[in-house]
Amino acid sequence: MSRSTPIIHKTRTQVVVEVLREKILSGDIAAGEPLRQSALADELNVSRIPVREALLQLEAEGLVKFEPHKGATATELSVEQVTELFELRALIETDLLAKAIPNLQDEHLLQAEKVLDELESAFKQEDAVASWSELNTQFHTCLYQAADRPHTLEVVHGLNTNCDRYIRLQLLLAGGIPRAEQDHRNLLTYCRNKDTDKAIELLRAHILHAAEAIRELVAQQVE
């Protein structure tokens, strides 16, 4: 019986992580809002242990900050953070894509197209906002995984988690969906044609254009 306890405990912690992550990314928990462990435990009907562990994991993801005498809070929106995160993404993801394109097989491209169809469908559904980031990450992962750089891909996924709420801001408030859809379709075409130079140029522009739009939004929100 004792061998099964960690599995149950881990599952409960992960559920709390997912619930709190979604609340922060969606804005239900506002930037700077205190995250009181006892209140969250009562709300989620769990003990404080999985809440504390979940907050530590979310701190590692950059979504929660611990401060002396204040405890945990949802991290503030930051123009500087947008710049750093998206410039990192542009550097790492373009390199990853360049290494992946020569190795892309039909199955990678077919899977990417399938995910892209799902993402475009989700864009049209108001209640599907929570799935945008996951589907977007899946699409890019389908293209990047042929690089066979699992550690780099893990870094990219971490950056995407930190970028999630910023990307939602852009898509929801800055009218970014039409450009995102067109960019994704063009990127898939370039990858299918093994046109590495155009694919890299488009991916870099795709990421940095989003960053510029998000910086303007964040600057307005923190004024």
Side-chain angles (χ1 to χ4, degrees):
M1 182 68 178
S2 62
R3 291 175 64 88
S4 66
T5 303
I7 298 175
I8 296 172
H9 177 67
K10 180 180 178 182
T11 302
R12 185 174 294 129
T13 298
Q14 192 57 39
V15 168
V16 176
V17 167
E18 291 172 359
V19 169
L20 294 181
R21 182 193 290 128
E22 178 56 31
K23 284 179 174 291
I24 293 170
L25 295 176
S26 67
D28 286 347
I29 295 176
E33 183 175 331
L35 300 167
R36 308 198 185 284
Q37 294 181 25
S38 57
L40 291 171
D42 290 342
E43 179 186 343
L44 300 174
N45 195 29
V46 296
S47 72
R48 291 180 63 174
I49 294 173
V51 172
R52 183 167 60 250
E53 293 181 346
L55 291 175
L56 288 170
Q57 181 171 330
L58 291 170
E59 181 188 29
E61 294 179 7
L63 297 176
V64 167
K65 181 179 180 180
F66 282 90
E67 299 179 80
H69 313 300
K70 191 174 181 180
T73 59
T75 51
E76 298 278 356
L77 298 172
S78 162
V79 171
E80 292 76 19
Q81 186 183 53
V82 171
T83 299
E84 181 180 8
L85 288 172
F86 282 77
E87 285 182 356
L88 268 174
R89 283 189 56 205
L91 284 170
I92 297 173
E93 291 185 42
T94 52
D95 181 66
L96 200 56
L97 184 63
K99 290 179 169 65
I101 286 177
N103 302 323
L104 282 172
Q105 303 297 318
D106 287 344
E107 56 264 31
H108 297 130
L109 297 166
L110 289 171
Q111 183 61 30
E113 187 165 27
K114 178 183 176 183
V115 174
L116 193 51
D117 289 341
E118 293 178 27
L119 177 58
E120 290 175 350
S121 177
F123 279 153
K124 295 176 174 63
Q125 302 171 37
E126 292 184 4
D127 61 349
V129 175
S131 69
W132 290 358
S133 178
E134 181 181 354
L135 289 169
N136 182 69
T137 298
Q138 285 180 21
F139 167 70
H140 286 278
T141 298
C142 288
L143 301 179
Y144 300 160
Q145 61 187 357
D148 194 24
R149 296 294 178 98
H151 296 294
T152 308
L153 196 55
E154 188 175 339
V155 170
V156 168
H157 288 165
L159 289 171
N160 284 333
T161 296
N162 281 280
C163 289
D164 187 305
R165 62 180 175 167
Y166 292 120
I167 293 172
R168 292 193 198 191
L169 277 175
Q170 182 219 3
L171 294 172
L172 286 167
L173 303 180
I177 290 177
R179 172 158 180 164
E181 290 181 323
Q182 190 61 56
D183 282 355
H184 286 151
R185 285 293 170 185
N186 289 341
L187 184 62
L188 185 58
T189 297
Y190 293 148
C191 289
R192 184 176 283 118
N193 294 339
K194 307 286 189 184
D195 194 334
T196 302
D197 290 341
K198 286 185 177 179
I200 290 172
E201 182 182 352
L202 173 59
L203 180 59
R204 182 180 292 109
H206 175 71
I207 294 170
L208 296 181
H209 176 269
E212 184 59 35
I214 294 163
R215 276 195 295 268
E216 292 181 9
L217 281 172
V218 171
Q220 293 170 9
Q221 296 209 357
V222 299
E223 285 178 355

